[in-house]
Amino acid sequence: GANASTKITINKNIKIANNSVPAGTYGLYSIPNKDKWTIILNTKSNLWGSAGYKKENDLLRFTIPVVNDPGCGHYQCCAEIHCDLCAK
């Protein structure tokens, strides 16, 4: 549905921001700030938006810098997250 939390499915064990992330489906949240965004992978992927969200269910939190990219439109968020897809 339109108000369900955003989900990300990872089909193999990887590393994100030097943290191990097991294969699975996660709720994907973000906290935007002027200079950086906090990206959150939450183990509860079936929430309705942020209703029922609990920080203790976060698998991972990391930040990415805000960059001025003319290739991004007004309603787009451009983020580059480096993942080690060969992590075991």
Side-chain angles (χ1 to χ4, degrees):
N3 294 319
S5 62
T6 300
K7 296 171 185 60
I8 183 169
T9 299
I10 300 168
N11 64 5
K12 62 190 275 185
N13 297 343
I14 63 171
K15 282 190 177 275
I16 299 177
N18 293 318
N19 293 280
S20 296
V21 178
T25 299
Y26 301 97
L28 179 64
Y29 296 91
S30 63
I31 303 171
N33 288 293
K34 182 179 178 182
D35 298 323
K36 65 182 178 182
W37 283 40
T38 300
I39 307 300
I40 303 164
L41 294 183
N42 190 275
T43 58
K44 303 295 182 188
S45 63
N46 60 347
L47 300 179
W48 190 250
S50 62
Y53 170 84
K54 294 181 181 176
K55 187 175 181 176
E56 60 262 23
N57 292 324
D58 289 353
L59 174 71
L60 175 62
R61 280 179 173 241
F62 61 97
T63 59
I64 57 172
V66 172
V67 293
N68 184 8
D69 185 342
C72 292
H74 183 69
Y75 294 106
Q76 292 177 318
C77 171
C78 290
E80 184 175 335
I81 301 170
H82 294 280
C83 300
D84 178 2
L85 298 177
C86 298
K88 298 197 187 286

